[in-house]
Amino acid sequence: MEKEIKVGLTITHRKERGYVNVHGDSGASYLLEDLVTTPTIMNMIVEASVRLLDHHLPSEYVTVGRRIELFHDKPTVVGEAISINLTVTKVDGNYITLDIIGSDDTSQICRGTYEKVVVNKQELIDSAYKRVHL
C-alpha cells in the first residue's frame, strides 16, 4: 500500500449542476434551502477520497474515515458546479491524511483535513457486529 498511496497523490472531483443537496435534520430555515449544505460537501469529500485511494488497495481492504475537520467558509447556490481537490499530505502506516480544498466556479468555498484509515473489510464488519451482539 505505501508504494501506491504516497504523499502528493491528488484528485479533483467535480460535481456539475444537478447534484442532490443533503439537508439532514439541521433545522435550517427554509430561506437557506437554495444554499449547498455542509453535509453535501462532506459527502463529496468522502466520495472523492474513495475514488482517490481505494483502487490502490487489495480487494479485501478499504479506507474508512477517522476524523474530518472542515471549514465551510463561503456559501454556494444549489446548482453551481463544485470541485473538491484532495491531496495526500501524510501516510503513516495505515493512516492517511488528506488536505481538502473545495471551490465553486467563483472561488474557494471550503478547506480542511480528512484522516482515513486502511482496514480489512471483514475485520471491520466483524468488529461492528461483535459490538452490537455483546
Side-chain angles (χ1 to χ4, degrees):
M1 177 203 78
E2 291 181 16
K3 293 179 185 175
E4 294 287 330
I5 299 175
K6 52 189 163 191
V7 171
L9 188 64
T10 190
I11 189 172
T12 299
H13 181 64
R14 185 168 172 88
K15 289 283 188 175
E16 299 295 336
R17 301 176 195 283
Y19 56 84
V20 176
N21 208 3
V22 178
H23 290 282
D25 190 16
S26 66
S29 164
Y30 71 91
L31 296 174
L32 302 179
E33 289 177 353
D34 291 337
L35 301 180
V36 174
T37 63
T38 303
T40 297
I41 292 173
M42 292 178 78
N43 281 348
M44 290 179 64
I45 292 166
V46 171
E47 186 178 332
S49 73
V50 169
R51 288 185 55 219
L52 175 63
L53 301 171
D54 286 19
H55 68 92
H56 290 288
L57 302 173
S59 62
E60 65 270 17
Y61 290 88
V62 66
T63 59
V64 295
R66 181 169 185 262
R67 182 183 63 83
I68 190 166
E69 180 178 40
L70 184 68
F71 297 91
H72 190 167
D73 297 320
K74 294 182 183 166
T76 300
V77 175
V78 170
E80 292 298 309
I82 296 175
S83 295
I84 300 294
N85 183 275
L86 299 180
T87 303
V88 175
T89 57
K90 184 177 180 182
V91 178
D92 184 12
N94 62 329
Y95 292 88
I96 302 164
T97 303
L98 303 159
D99 182 57
I100 305 164
I101 299 290
S103 56
D104 58 20
D105 287 337
T106 304
S107 65
Q108 182 177 311
I109 60 169
C110 67
R111 59 195 162 80
T113 58
Y114 188 22
E115 186 176 298
K116 298 197 78 174
V117 182
V118 177
V119 297
N120 179 283
K121 291 177 190 177
Q122 190 60 54
E123 289 175 13
L124 178 66
I125 292 168
D126 291 348
S127 175
Y129 277 107
K130 183 178 179 183
R131 289 184 64 247
V132 171
H133 299 299
L134 290 178

